[in-house]
Amino acid sequence: MEQTGHISVTIIGKTIAGTLNPKDIDIAETREMLTDVETLLFPTKTEKDERPKVAYEVKDGSVKNIFYLPLAKAIMFSALMAEVGNRGNIDLLEPKAAAIIDKWQRKSYNSGRQYIITSSISEDDLLTISNESRFIAPQSDWVNTSLYLYGKIYEEGGLSKVNLHILTDRYGKLTVNATEKQLTEGDQKLFKIYGLWVKGKQNLASGQLKDLELIDYLKYQPEYDEIVLQKLIKKATTNWARIGDKDEWLQEIRGGVNE
């Protein structure tokens, strides 16, 4: 049987009647907390798609949200949160996870509540968010861009949103919106290496891509670069042969300066 551990997010605050407790939390806020913690634990699509079972319990003190999960994940998450707490910033986190901490930080400023992350791995608090902490996500700028992507197309289709999925060396797995016509015309492209000319948005700080749309396909030709290189070499060789005194010509190009 797989060993389990737990992490907890304790919310401390005051109400008109006194100390905050689970009965003061509306179901909408509970639902939001569950979604937030799932994102914090599994911030990428791949992690969320492949995530293990996570059980939930709430206890007094003030409001202690406890999440039971495989021990290995609890250990990794605890180490990450401890490092974030030690550094005092959230630069280490995936963008979606950083956004959750940023969100709780802003709630803390507005409400005075504290969010304390602990785990079964350590007796010490891993991360404390209060109106005195500064766990603010950096505001990154997104710019419109168009670029070429190369990789294997491993999924196509969709009902409400038609798209394709491509695995690239540089950006990993990406989703690119397309039209039915683009997906169905021409050769079968699934599970083949292709180039895509796309447009979308790119983060200036991280290089992350989003909102990608397919403009056109570029059939991948690994021999293409070699052909271009050989043509350039041939052209350069011909031009070089026309130069008489090559040393004198190089000296002129350098502005008459000898090394």
Side-chain angles (χ1 to χ4, degrees), residues 41-58:
L41 288 168
F42 311 102
T44 67
K45 185 179 186 302
T46 300
E47 288 177 302
K48 187 166 289 189
D49 288 344
E50 299 174 356
R51 76 166 179 81
K53 174 186 175 182
V54 179
Y56 171 70
E57 182 181 15
V58 62

Side-chain angles (χ1 to χ4, degrees), residues 7-9 32-44 47-48 51 54 67 69 73 76-78 80-81 84 90 92-104 115-118 126-127 129:
I7 64 106
S8 65
V9 180
E32 183 180 10
M33 171 58 67
L34 297 178
T35 301
D36 286 351
V37 171
E38 183 184 24
T39 300
L40 195 60
L41 288 168
F42 311 102
T44 67
E47 288 177 302
K48 187 166 289 189
R51 76 166 179 81
V54 179
F67 300 85
L69 65 167
K73 179 62 180 179
M76 290 189 292
F77 181 79
S78 298
L80 179 60
M81 289 298 107
V84 170
I90 50 181
L92 280 176
L93 300 181
E94 290 282 346
K96 288 185 177 181
I100 297 301
I101 300 298
D102 176 274
K103 175 182 173 181
W104 291 353
Y115 295 80
I116 302 174
I117 299 178
T118 59
L126 303 174
L127 183 64
I129 301 170

Side-chain angles (χ1 to χ4, degrees), residues 208-241:
Q208 181 183 358
L209 300 170
K210 69 176 184 179
D211 301 337
L212 297 178
E213 295 181 18
L214 177 63
I215 299 174
D216 205 353
Y217 293 98
L218 305 166
K219 191 166 184 179
Y220 181 61
Q221 295 178 305
E223 71 277 9
Y224 177 77
D225 290 342
E226 180 65 24
I227 292 172
V228 173
L229 177 60
Q230 293 304 323
K231 284 185 177 180
L232 289 174
I233 291 174
K234 184 177 181 180
K235 182 178 180 181
T237 301
T238 302
N239 292 337
W240 188 249

